[in-house]
Amino acid sequence: MKELDPLLHSQLRLAVVSILMTVDEADFVFLKEKTESTAGNLSVQLDKLSSAGYISVEKSFVGKKPRTRCRMTATGRKAFEEYVETLREYLKL
Amino acid sequence: MKELDPLLHSQLRLAVVSILMTVDEADFVFLKEKTESTAGNLSVQLDKLSSAGYISVEKSFVGKKPRTRCRMTATGRKAFEEYVETLREYLKL
DNA sequence: AAAATTTGGTTTATAAAATAAACTATACTA
DNA sequence: TAGTATAGTTTATTTTATAAACCAAATTTT
């Protein structure tokens, strides 16, 4: 049995990546609302995905307010596809 | 977004349950080999699944050797189906 | 205008989970 | 009979997830 990529096999990170796979880009606030996570938890998990090169994170300002925008990278998309494929094998989907 | 049942959303427990969904019953040794897990880890995770009522565990002896047999319960099967359904929503499968 | 609240986060601390290491008991093997 | 294997359990350690505390700037309330 292949192992399920531990970086993706996590409640919140999987939710984030699932969203990012469908929307081209999403900002911190949007992800926080959609996933109903706390800001702290989301911040940490975005860092992990970013450090792994699965997502890119761009921090900018709109007026004086910070804005953090996230999107999948090619690496992330590939990892996600593989994760889904492994899961299919597990669950026979 | 519905939450993914944390009891099932774990590498090893998911592997175990995925196997048990297909085989009616399986013993400790078989599960250990199939999942390539350590005995300690498997023991702990089987306990958790058992405590949650997701699987039933019967311990017996074959001669003087212990034999631990596991199978899904109705509760476990239901939880698994729901987990898969939630996952489908996440991943759009 | 000062005080409190909200927004958009990060950092650090705590709780929970997974994993590994150590141990038990019996059996088998050289 | 000393050593190794089988079939596990228990305990300790590491990793992960989550929550709590904090920061800076802007907005709202009194």
Side-chain angles (χ1 to χ4, degrees):
Chain A
M1 284 177 114
K2 263 194 293 182
E3 80 148 0
L4 287 161
D5 184 346
L7 226 106
L8 292 178
H9 196 66
S10 129
Q11 169 85 235
L12 183 50
R13 289 194 300 270
L14 186 61
V16 166
V17 167
S18 294
I19 292 168
L20 291 180
M21 284 300 286
T22 69
V23 297
D24 186 59
E25 76 163 41
D27 63 25
F28 191 94
V29 175
F30 177 80
L31 290 173
K32 183 171 172 297
E33 281 168 9
K34 262 258 167 171
T35 60
E36 291 167 290
S37 60
T38 61
N41 194 9
L42 182 58
S43 180
V44 169
Q45 306 312 328
L46 289 180
D47 271 1
K48 287 188 190 178
L49 289 170
S50 174
S51 297
Y54 285 12
I55 66 172
S56 67
V57 177
E58 267 186 75
K59 292 170 193 203
S60 59
F61 283 85
V62 174
K64 294 272 177 65
K65 280 186 185 172
R67 175 155 195 229
T68 299
R69 291 186 301 174
C70 309
R71 52 175 67 213
M72 295 301 290
T73 61
T75 305
R77 254 186 294 276
K78 186 146 174 283
F80 181 77
E81 302 295 1
E82 275 174 36
Y83 173 80
V84 170
E85 195 41 45
T86 304
L87 213 50
R88 279 184 195 280
E89 288 169 25
Y90 273 60
L91 311 179
K92 284 97 193 164
L93 293 178
Chain B
M1 284 177 112
K2 263 193 296 180
E3 79 149 0
L4 287 161
D5 184 344
L7 226 106
L8 292 178
H9 196 66
S10 129
Q11 169 83 237
L12 184 50
R13 288 194 300 270
L14 187 60
V16 166
V17 167
S18 294
I19 292 168
L20 291 180
M21 284 300 286
T22 69
V23 297
D24 185 60
E25 76 162 40
D27 63 25
F28 191 93
V29 175
F30 178 79
L31 290 172
K32 182 172 174 295
E33 280 169 8
K34 262 258 169 170
T35 60
E36 291 169 290
S37 61
T38 60
N41 193 11
L42 182 58
S43 179
V44 169
Q45 306 312 327
L46 289 181
D47 271 1
K48 287 189 189 176
L49 289 170
S50 174
S51 297
Y54 284 12
I55 66 172
S56 67
V57 177
E58 266 187 73
K59 293 172 192 197
S60 58
F61 283 85
V62 174
K64 293 274 177 67
K65 281 187 185 173
R67 176 157 195 229
T68 299
R69 290 185 302 174
C70 309
R71 53 176 67 212
M72 296 301 290
T73 61
T75 306
R77 254 187 293 274
K78 186 146 175 281
F80 181 78
E81 302 295 1
E82 275 173 36
Y83 173 80
V84 170
E85 195 42 44
T86 304
L87 213 50
R88 279 184 194 280
E89 288 168 26
Y90 273 59
L91 311 179
K92 285 96 193 165
L93 292 180

